[in-house]
């Protein structure tokens, strides 16, 4: 479903909370979003802005699968299919995101939120950056943007990601377009680290038809149906980015990051600006879920993998539960090795049998309590995530553990007993 259609869908199914009261982009909207995390909220009256703000639109697995019009259990299959068989986007000549072409650039007119008092500035958190390389084509990637002037941001551009690679290849300066207010298909595709040379907008197109339009001033193609497009250039100049809260709900360190100069803004009529709570459920889901098919594929190469869940409590990035159908005792160890190889930021991995509900932490802990032996765990040191506050700040070295919580030996002694099934309603 397109962004606006999905807002309407949420309104009709009474999931959407509509706030008509005037609200401030300074801390207030973020606080309301946090208090209703897991639910879409539309703020129709933002003080000093003609834009509405929506947040929490894709903040649960149910919302994401509804927006993609698929069943909850189909996610890994559908995502894997789209990653493998990405399709070319239709290029259109005129698009909703260019209904209004602003004559000048004034970022103060956008409802860019301040989330926490200690934040380095106001932040765009839902922006998807589109860049291009003469040989590798386009790339789509999230970059949080801290506003540092009427026409300037600084962006967190992680080393090794598509944007960083293109920027280095271009000699330190690069054209960029930032798309805000996108469909679930585009939001998920933007979080996928596809092979270099794969345009993630084509993955979005396989999830749901995603036409693109050429920017007004740059040779870049953006989702035609998005709400707002910021066109500009990443400069060689760097400034302090942060402090800002990341996935772990802790403050990320301040780093020197490139400046982005915005030179053109286009948007839809009555634009809706999308906000994404840093460290909130949507941030977590968007980070973790696209990594599940990657782990699933890697584990499937070494044993029979049934499912993978990146868990919310593990910041939706650092912990995975891998469910396997064990044929040999070595399968769990092979699954652990494959999972760590596939997801380099993974810190703790638990492997469970097919009878464990991998979306239920109590069931996972039960498997740990009754099936795991700590001295069977694989414990090792390796480079981990830059998001892990306990890792070495300079080298990112961290300790990792892979725990085999599968049954060993006689299965009968590990199986949870099942009582006779009755209908409690019959007993009054
Ligand atoms: C909500 C959200 C916010 C993100 N913020 C950033 C960010 O600020 N900087 C960054 O480099 N990556 C960020 N990421 C991660 C990248 O979008 C993700 O790793 C991407 O798939 C990289 O793909 P690429 O290697 O093809 O560029 C974020 C991801 C999500 C889901």
């Amino acid at each position: 479903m397109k962004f606006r259609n999905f807002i309407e869908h949420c309104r009709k199914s009474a999931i959407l909370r509509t706030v008509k009261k005037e609200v401030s982009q300074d801390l207030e909207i973020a606080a309301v979003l946090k208090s209703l995390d897991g639910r879409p909220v539309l703020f129709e009256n933002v003080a000093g802005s003609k834009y509405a703000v929506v947040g929490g639109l894709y903040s649960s697995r149910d919302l994401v699968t509804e927006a993609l019009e698929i069943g909850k259990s189909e996610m890994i299959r559908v995502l894997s299919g789209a990653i493998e068989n990405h399709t070319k986007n239709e290029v259109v000549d005129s698009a909703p995101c260019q209904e209004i072409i602003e004559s000048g650039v004034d970022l103060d007119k956008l409802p860019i939120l301040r989330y926490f008092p200690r934040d380095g500035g106001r932040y765009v958190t839902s922006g998807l950056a589109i860049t291009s390389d003469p040989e590798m084509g386009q790339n789509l990637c999230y970059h949080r943007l801290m506003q540092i002037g009427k026409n300037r941001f600084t962006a967190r551009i992680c080393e090794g990601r598509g944007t960083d690679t293109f920027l280095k290849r271009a000699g330190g300066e690069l054209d960029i377009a930032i798309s805000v207010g996108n469909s679930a298909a585009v939001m998920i595709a933007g979080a996928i680290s596809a092979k270099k040379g794969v345009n993630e907008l084509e993955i979005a197109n396989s999830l749901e038809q995603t036409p693109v339009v050429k920017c007004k001033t740059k040779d870049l193609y953006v989702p035609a149906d998005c709400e707002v497009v910021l066109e500009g250039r990443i400069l060689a100049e760097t400034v302090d980015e942060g402090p800002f809260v990341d996935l772990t709900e802790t403050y990320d360190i301040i780093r020197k990051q490139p400046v982005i100069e915005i030179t053109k803004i286009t948007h839809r009529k009555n634009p809706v600006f999308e906000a994404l709570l840093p460290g909130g459920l949507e941030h977590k889901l968007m980070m973790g879920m696209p990594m599940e098919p990657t782990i699933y594929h890697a584990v499937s190469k070494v044993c029979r993998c049934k499912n993978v869940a990146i868990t919310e409590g593990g910041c939706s990035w650092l912990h995975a539960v891998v469910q396997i159908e064990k044929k040999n005792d070595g399968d769990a160890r092979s699954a652990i090795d494959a999972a760590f190889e596939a997801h380099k930021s993974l810190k703790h991995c638990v492997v469970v049998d097919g009878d464990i509900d991998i979306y239920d932490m109590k069931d996972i802990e039960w498997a740990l309590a009754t099936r795991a032996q700590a001295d069977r765990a694989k414990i090792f040191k390796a480079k981990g995530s830059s998001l892990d506050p306990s890792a070495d700040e300079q080298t990112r070295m961290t300790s990792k553990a892979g725990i085999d919580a599968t049954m060993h030996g006689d299965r009968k002694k590990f199986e949870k007993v099942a009582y006779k099934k009755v209908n409690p309603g019959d007993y009054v």
Side-chain angles (χ1 to χ4, degrees), residues 10-37:
C10 292
R11 196 194 300 276
K12 281 189 192 131
S13 52
I15 317 167
L16 184 76
R17 168 75 75 97
T18 306
V19 179
K20 295 192 184 298
K21 182 182 159 175
E22 188 181 87
V23 282
S24 164
Q25 67 202 77
D26 236 359
L27 307 177
E28 191 178 15
I29 292 181
V32 177
L33 285 174
K34 181 65 187 172
S35 72
L36 293 165
D37 204 4

Side-chain angles (χ1 to χ4, degrees), residues 139 142-144 156 158 161-162 190-193 200 283 287:
N139 184 70
Y142 286 85
H143 292 294
R144 66 182 188 222
R156 168 70 179 126
C158 293
R161 297 255 158 86
I192 293 170
S193 251
E200 286 90 354
H283 188 181
M287 271 303 272

Side-chain angles (χ1 to χ4, degrees), residues 345-403:
S345 297
L346 195 60
K347 190 174 173 189
H348 299 127
C349 172
V350 179
V351 181
V352 296
D353 297 294
D355 61 333
I356 302 299
D357 179 353
I358 63 166
Y359 300 115
D360 179 354
M361 283 316 291
K362 254 204 251 169
D363 220 26
I364 295 160
E365 197 180 347
W366 179 81
L368 281 169
T370 61
R371 298 179 183 178
Q373 282 295 302
D375 61 2
R376 269 204 302 260
K378 171 179 174 159
I379 296 176
F380 63 109
K381 269 197 178 293
K383 240 186 184 171
S385 170
S386 61
L387 298 174
D388 173 6
S390 73
D392 184 281
E393 217 173 83
Q394 303 305 323
T395 63
R396 286 205 269 138
M397 287 303 279
T398 193
S399 287
K400 302 189 174 199
I403 304 169

